[in-house]
Amino acid sequence: MNQYFAWDDRLGISLPTLYQEWELYSEDVRTFIVTQWEIIRGTIPDRVFAFERIINVKQAELFEEEDFELSCTINSDIAELASRINDLHIWYRTNQEIEHKRHS
């Protein structure tokens, strides 16, 4: 995307990649970063919803699956998707930290 964000394949969004303390960036750069993050952050609920849909499908598969090993694989897939959702929720809340720093 640019030097301040890097694509994360696991989460399906770009994440901030800041290489110095927030206060060391110029006001223009901080404004740019916050603006870009707000755009990216706005896509997080859609990403969560997409992962939840996949989890629902996998839970239905798990309910019908009789093979133990395959059930374990499906359960592992569900756990990984849930972990992604958790990480997305953490990143979604990151805005509060950036906004606080911006107004400090």
Side-chain angles (χ1 to χ4, degrees), residues 7 9 15 32 35 49-50 55 58-60 62 65 68 89:
W7 182 256
D9 283 331
L15 297 176
F32 173 79
T35 302
F49 185 65
I55 286 173
K58 292 205 171 276
Q59 285 176 326
L62 186 59
E65 187 55 56
F68 178 73
H89 283 297

Side-chain angles (χ1 to χ4, degrees), residues 8-92:
D8 185 285
D9 283 331
R10 183 174 169 271
L11 300 181
I13 62 171
S14 293
L15 297 176
T17 53
L18 306 180
Y19 297 104
Q20 61 186 14
E21 293 296 317
W22 182 251
E23 297 76 25
L24 297 176
Y25 289 102
S26 71
E27 184 65 33
D28 288 343
V29 169
R30 286 185 280 180
T31 299
F32 173 79
I33 292 169
V34 170
T35 302
Q36 291 301 305
W37 178 244
E38 278 301 306
I39 293 167
I40 295 165
R41 186 176 171 267
T43 68
I44 291 176
D46 291 336
R47 296 295 307 145
V48 168
F49 185 65
F51 288 142
E52 287 173 342
R53 284 193 315 251
I54 297 168
I55 286 173
N56 290 337
V57 168
K58 292 205 171 276
Q59 285 176 326
E61 289 175 19
L62 186 59
F63 182 73
E64 298 294 324
E65 187 55 56
E66 294 182 14
D67 180 87
F68 178 73
E69 287 184 27
L70 193 49
S71 294
C72 290
T73 300
I74 294 169
N75 201 34
S76 178
D77 291 346
I78 291 169
E80 170 56 26
L81 291 163
S83 174
R84 292 178 188 191
I85 289 171
N86 185 57
D87 290 349
L88 285 168
H89 283 297
I90 291 168
W91 279 107
Y92 190 77

